[in-house]
Structures are given as structure tokens and as C-alpha cells.
């Protein structure tokens, strides 16, 4: 293990990602499972992007947001799965400190951007259902571009701030990260610096990072559901709900698993359970996005047929 001496302490130059398990007989099945998930995720999301770009019927704000969501999911998966696949294939679980910080930065950027993009999509659905007469004027292409650009910029800024704080920590050992990717809590557990201030800063930054977009999305859907329940006919209610059901499913899956991961106590007995839920929101969520929108959306299925 490569180290460097600094201030009478031996600083780590690489980490060891313990991954999903040590059983040798599980490495091949896990490799095949992750490879299949990654292939389907990439093909599914790229297919949605191509469909929306090439089909004029899908040139609407909702599908513009969907293209950006699929782009995020593609990038999101690519920050974790290729490195995980290499570790299954070669048995090499080491990652340099710089590589770990890069993975943490890009993952944080895409995850935060997704929170804001889901909030923008919920605002789009709110206007479409609750303000249908004003929708075309309020959700024009300029507004769409601003919302998408804002999502990416906010994700970049918040991730840059958190990564800069964590990268200033000194890591003296042990070097084993009990996770399958470089995540905030396991990294801070290995720090030999005082983490009190950085933990407070991370809590503060978690509000613009996750809490605000989550509350905005929740408020939007409270208004949407209330508006749908006021529709007198069951056919009208079903039609209105069908326009947002796919996005609502994505919101529930993404935030549901995310909340479970960060609400679970960081005890040794619950670490494997934490990894399972982390696997779900980091790896399976990008997989189910194209499945939800292709299987539950008539316009996407129509574009596929065309």
C-alpha cells in the first residue's frame, strides 16, 4: 500500500473498496448481474434520448426534461458501475485517493442535479394539471432551458463545495472503505482530521442539496393530487393522473431509497442493509427509468412503433 509521510503521520495514497461481499463464489454472478444492469441502463436511456430527439411528436417540455433525466442517469451509472465491474473481473479493489475524490465529485454532481431536475419535472406537471390555460406561456422553451441549466449548475456547485471540504481531510489509515463506491460517510470515518466542522457544513449543505428540492417536489404533488381529486369524472381523473404517474413513480423510488439509506443508523449490523439500498438508488434507479417511461407511457410506445 502506497503511503507518504507528512507531519509525522503516514498518509494514505489509495483506498480499498470492500464492495458488496468477499465470497469468491459470488464474484462471477455479481459481475454478470452488474454488467447486464449497466448494458440495459445505457441502451434504455440512450434509446429514450434518440426517440425524443428524432420524433417531432415528443418535442414537448415534458420530454425535454426526460432527455436530460436519461442523460443524467447515463452519467450517474458510469461513475460507479465500470469501476465495480473491473473490481469483480480483476479482483483489484484499490482506488487512488484522487480517483476516489473524482468519483465522489461526479456522483455528487449527478445525484444533486437529479434532485433538482425531478423538482423541475414536478413543476412542469403541476402547471400542466393545475394551470392548463397558462401552461404554454409559463413553460416555454426559455424556461425549460433555464430550469435544466440551473439543475446542472446547482449540482456542480454543491458537489464542488462538499468535495473541496472532504479532499482537505487527512487520511492516515485504515484504508478500507466498507462500501462499493466512494461515499461521504465511509470516507469521513477514515479521516484522521477533526471532522466536526465538516460534518456541520455537510448538514447545512444537505438542505439545498436534497431537502429543498424534495420539499418542492412533495408540495407540487400535493397540489397535483388535490387538483386531480377535484375532477368530477373518473375518466378525467385517470387521464390527468396518467400524465404524471411515470414521473411520480420515479420520485417515489429515488427519494424512498435515498431517505432509507441516510436514515439508517451507521451501525456495523446494518451496513450490509445500507449497501443494498445504496445499490438500489445508485444502480437500479437508472435502470428502471427507461422501463417506467417505455412501459407506462403511450406516447413513448407510439414513438417506438413509428
Amino acid at each position: 500500500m502506497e503511503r507518504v509521510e507528512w507531519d509525522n503521520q503516514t498518509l494514505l495514497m489509495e483506498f480499498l473498496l470492500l464492495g458488496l461481499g468477499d465470497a469468491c463464489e459470488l464474484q462471477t454472478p455479481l459481475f454478470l448481474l452488474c454488467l447486464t444492469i449497466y448494458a440495459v441502463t445505457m441502451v434504455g436511456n440512450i434509446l429514450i434520448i434518440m426517440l425524443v430527439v428524432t420524433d417531432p411528436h415528443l418535442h414537448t417540455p415534458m420530454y425535454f426534461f426526460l432527455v436530460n433525466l436519461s442523460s443524467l442517469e447515463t452519467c450517474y451509472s458510469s461513475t460507479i458501475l465500470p469501476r465495480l465491474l473491473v473490481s469483480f473481473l480483476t479482483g483489484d479493489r484499490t482506488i487512488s485517493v484522487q480517483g476516489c475524490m473524482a468519483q465522489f465529485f461526479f456522483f455528487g454532481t449527478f445525484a444533486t442535479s437529479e434532485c433538482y431536475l425531478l423538482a423541475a419535472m414536478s413543476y412542469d406537471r403541476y402547471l400542466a394539471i393545475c394551470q392548463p390555460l397558462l401552461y404554454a406561456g409559463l413553460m416555454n422553451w426559455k424556461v425549460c432551458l433555464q430550469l435544466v441549466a440551473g439543475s446542472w449548475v446547482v449540482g456542480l456547485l454543491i458537489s464542488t463545495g462538499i468535495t473541496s471540504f472532504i479532499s482537505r481531510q487527512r487520511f492516515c489509515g485504515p484504508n478500507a472503505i466498507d462500501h462499493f463506491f466512494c461515499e461521504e460517510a465511509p470516507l469521513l470515518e477514515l479521516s484522521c482530521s477533526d471532522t466536526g466542522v465538516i460534518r456541520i457544513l455537510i448538514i447545512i449543505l444537505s438542505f439545498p442539496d436534497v431537502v429543498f428540492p424534495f420539499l418542492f417536489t412533495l408540495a407540487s404533488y400535493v397540489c397535483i393530487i388535490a387538483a386531480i381529486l377535484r375532477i368530477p369524472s373518473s375518466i378525467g381523473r385517470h387521464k390527468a393522473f396518467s400524465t404524471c404517474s411515470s414521473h411520480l413513480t420515479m420520485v417515489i423510488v429515488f427519494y424512498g431509497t435515498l431517505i432509507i439509506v441516510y436514515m439508517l443508523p451507521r451501525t456495523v449490523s446494518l451496513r450490509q442493509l445500507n449497501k443494498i439500498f445504496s445499490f438500489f438508488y445508485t444502480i437500479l434507479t437508472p435502470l428502471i427509468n427507461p422501463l417506467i417511461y417505455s412501459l407506462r407511457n403511450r406516447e413513448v410506445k407510439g414513438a417506438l412503433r413509428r
Side-chain angles (χ1 to χ4, degrees):
M1 179 173 57
E2 191 179 357
R3 297 168 179 263
V4 62
E5 295 290 337
W6 190 70
D7 284 353
N8 297 323
Q9 290 181 314
T10 305
L11 300 185
L12 299 175
M13 297 299 290
E14 61 182 27
F15 294 117
L16 178 68
L17 292 169
L18 297 184
L20 296 170
D22 294 322
C24 294
E25 63 274 11
L26 292 178
Q27 301 308 300
T28 301
L30 284 173
F31 171 78
L32 294 174
L33 174 64
C34 290
L35 180 62
T36 303
I37 289 173
Y38 188 49
V40 174
T41 299
M42 297 299 286
V43 171
N45 282 294
I46 291 172
L47 180 60
I48 283 183
I49 294 170
M50 291 175 61
L51 281 174
V52 175
V53 170
T54 58
D55 195 318
H57 297 87
L58 301 181
H59 291 178
T60 63
M62 183 176 76
Y63 291 105
F64 175 71
F65 290 127
L66 180 57
V67 163
N68 283 274
L69 179 63
S70 293
S71 302
L72 268 177
E73 302 284 26
T74 302
C75 299
Y76 196 75
S77 296
S78 298
T79 60
I80 296 175
L81 273 171
R83 181 67 191 82
L84 189 59
L85 288 169
V86 169
S87 69
F88 286 138
L89 196 61
T90 65
D92 181 12
R93 298 182 181 182
T94 59
I95 183 171
S96 67
V97 173
Q98 294 83 359
C100 189
M101 292 303 157
Q103 186 186 62
F104 179 82
F105 168 75
F106 285 111
F107 174 78
T109 298
F110 299 135
T112 303
S113 297
E114 181 158 347
C115 290
Y116 277 86
L117 189 58
L118 289 173
M121 294 174 77
S122 69
Y123 177 63
D124 173 71
R125 292 300 85 203
Y126 163 78
L127 291 179
I129 293 172
C130 301
Q131 305 287 341
L133 298 179
L134 302 175
Y135 178 76
L138 293 174
M139 190 55 69
N140 53 52
W141 286 110
K142 181 181 178 181
V143 172
C144 292
L145 288 169
Q146 289 173 340
L147 289 173
V148 168
S151 300
W152 285 88
V153 170
V154 170
L156 181 65
L157 291 176
I158 292 177
S159 183
T160 299
I162 295 177
T163 305
S164 66
F165 289 132
I166 292 182
S167 63
R168 292 173 187 167
Q169 298 293 295
R170 289 179 293 169
F171 300 97
C172 313
N175 74 325
I177 298 176
D178 193 9
H179 218 302
F180 57 88
F181 72 103
C182 294
E183 203 229 359
E184 168 195 310
L187 272 173
L188 289 180
E189 289 175 2
L190 302 183
S191 174
C192 53
S193 305
D194 181 13
T195 60
V197 174
I198 192 172
R199 289 181 188 277
I200 294 172
L201 288 171
I202 288 172
I203 291 172
I204 293 171
L205 287 175
S206 70
F207 282 89
D209 187 357
V210 177
V211 176
F212 291 163
F214 170 69
L215 292 177
F216 183 88
T217 304
L218 183 63
S220 297
Y221 271 102
V222 168
C223 296
I224 289 170
I225 292 171
I228 290 174
L229 292 176
R230 288 196 297 268
I231 298 174
S233 69
S234 59
I235 296 175
R237 286 195 299 270
H238 180 268
K239 184 177 179 181
F241 184 73
S242 66
T243 64
C244 61
S245 58
S246 297
H247 178 253
L248 180 58
T249 304
M250 275 296 299
V251 168
I252 292 171
V253 171
F254 180 77
Y255 278 113
T257 52
L258 188 66
I259 289 170
I260 291 172
V261 166
Y262 288 100
M263 291 299 288
L264 277 176
R266 297 283 175 175
T267 59
V268 176
S269 59
L270 292 176
R271 281 184 180 176
Q272 284 302 118
L273 187 61
N274 187 284
K275 286 184 191 180
I276 292 171
F277 282 108
S278 294
F279 185 84
F280 199 94
Y281 94 86
T282 58
I283 294 174
L284 292 184
T285 300
L287 170 69
I288 65 174
N289 172 42
L291 297 178
I292 288 173
Y293 277 98
S294 61
L295 296 177
R296 301 190 58 180
N297 192 297
R298 286 178 296 179
E299 291 177 308
V300 172
K301 286 189 284 188
L304 277 170
R305 284 194 296 268
R306 287 191 292 272

